[in-house]
C-alpha cells in the first residue's frame, strides 16, 4: 500500500482524448494507475483498445496496472461509432504500428466490470474510477 498516491482505475474507450489523459496521469507522481478497463462501445474495438492500453502501460513502465476488456455492445439503444472511424482509432491513426513497440503485457482475462468489482472490494485503499469512455463497464459492474 502506498498511501501517498491516489489509486485510479481508468475506464476508457481509448479514443485520442483518453490516450492523452492516460499519458498525463502516468507522468503524475501522485497517481498510481491500478488498471485500465476498455469498453468497445466507443471509439475503438475492445481488443484494439486493449492493445493500445497495454502499449501505453508498457511504454510508461506501469507494468503492475491491469488491462481488462469490456463489452462492445451498448446496454441500451444502438448508439455506436461508425466502424470506419473505429478502424482509424484502432491503431491510433497508424501510430500504433509505426511508432510504438510491441508490448509484452498480457490482458487480464476477467471482464472489465468484474475487475472493477474485485478491485474495489479487495482494496484496503480508496480507489478512484476515472470514467473517460461510456459508462457501460461501470453499469455492468453495478
Amino acid at each position: 500500500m502506498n498511501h501517498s498516491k491516489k489509486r485510479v482505475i481508468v475506464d476508457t474507450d481509448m479514443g485520442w482524448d483518453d490516450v492523452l489523459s492516460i499519458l498525463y496521469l502516468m507522468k503524475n507522481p501522485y497517481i498510481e494507475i491500478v488498471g485500465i478497463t476498455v469498453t468497445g462501445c466507443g471509439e475503438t474495438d475492445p481488443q484494439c483498445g486493449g492493445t493500445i492500453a497495454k502499449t501505453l502501460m508498457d511504454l510508461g513502465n506501469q507494468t503492475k496496472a491491469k488491462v481488462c476488456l469490456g463489452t462492445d455492445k451498448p446496454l441500451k439503444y444502438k448508439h455506436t461509432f461508425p466502424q470506419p472511424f473505429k478502424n482509424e482509432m484502432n491503431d491510433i491513426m497508424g501510430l500504433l504500428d509505426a511508432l510504438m513497440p510491441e508490448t509484452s503485457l498480457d490482458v487480464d482475462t476477467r471482464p472489465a466490470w468484474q475487475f472493477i468489482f474485485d478491485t474495489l472490494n479487495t482494496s484496503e485503499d480508496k480507489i478512484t474510477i476515472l470514467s473517460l469512455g461510456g459508462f457501460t463497464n461501470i453499469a455492468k459492474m453495478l
Side-chain angles (χ1 to χ4, degrees), residues 77-104:
Y77 307 114
K78 294 183 181 178
H79 300 281
T80 60
F81 279 81
Q83 193 60 47
F85 179 83
K86 290 177 89 157
N87 292 343
E88 290 291 331
M89 287 308 304
N90 281 338
D91 72 349
I92 314 179
M93 308 269 185
L95 286 177
L96 191 63
D97 292 332
L99 301 176
M100 297 182 172
E102 190 171 315
T103 181
S104 60

Side-chain angles (χ1 to χ4, degrees), residues 16-80:
W16 268 111
D17 53 339
D18 300 3
V19 169
L20 294 175
S21 297
I22 291 167
L23 288 170
Y24 175 78
L25 286 176
M26 286 175 19
K27 296 292 286 179
N28 187 325
Y30 301 107
I31 300 291
E32 175 189 353
I33 299 174
V34 176
I36 297 183
T37 55
V38 179
T39 179
C41 296
E43 293 187 37
T44 62
D45 292 312
Q47 292 77 16
C48 296
T51 298
I52 296 167
K54 291 186 315 180
T55 302
L56 289 175
M57 293 297 93
D58 209 14
L59 286 172
N61 201 24
Q62 304 278 321
T63 56
K64 291 182 184 176
K66 302 289 185 189
V67 174
C68 299
L69 306 181
T71 185
D72 62 349
K73 304 283 187 256
L75 295 178
K76 192 171 183 182
Y77 307 114
K78 294 183 181 178
H79 300 281
T80 60

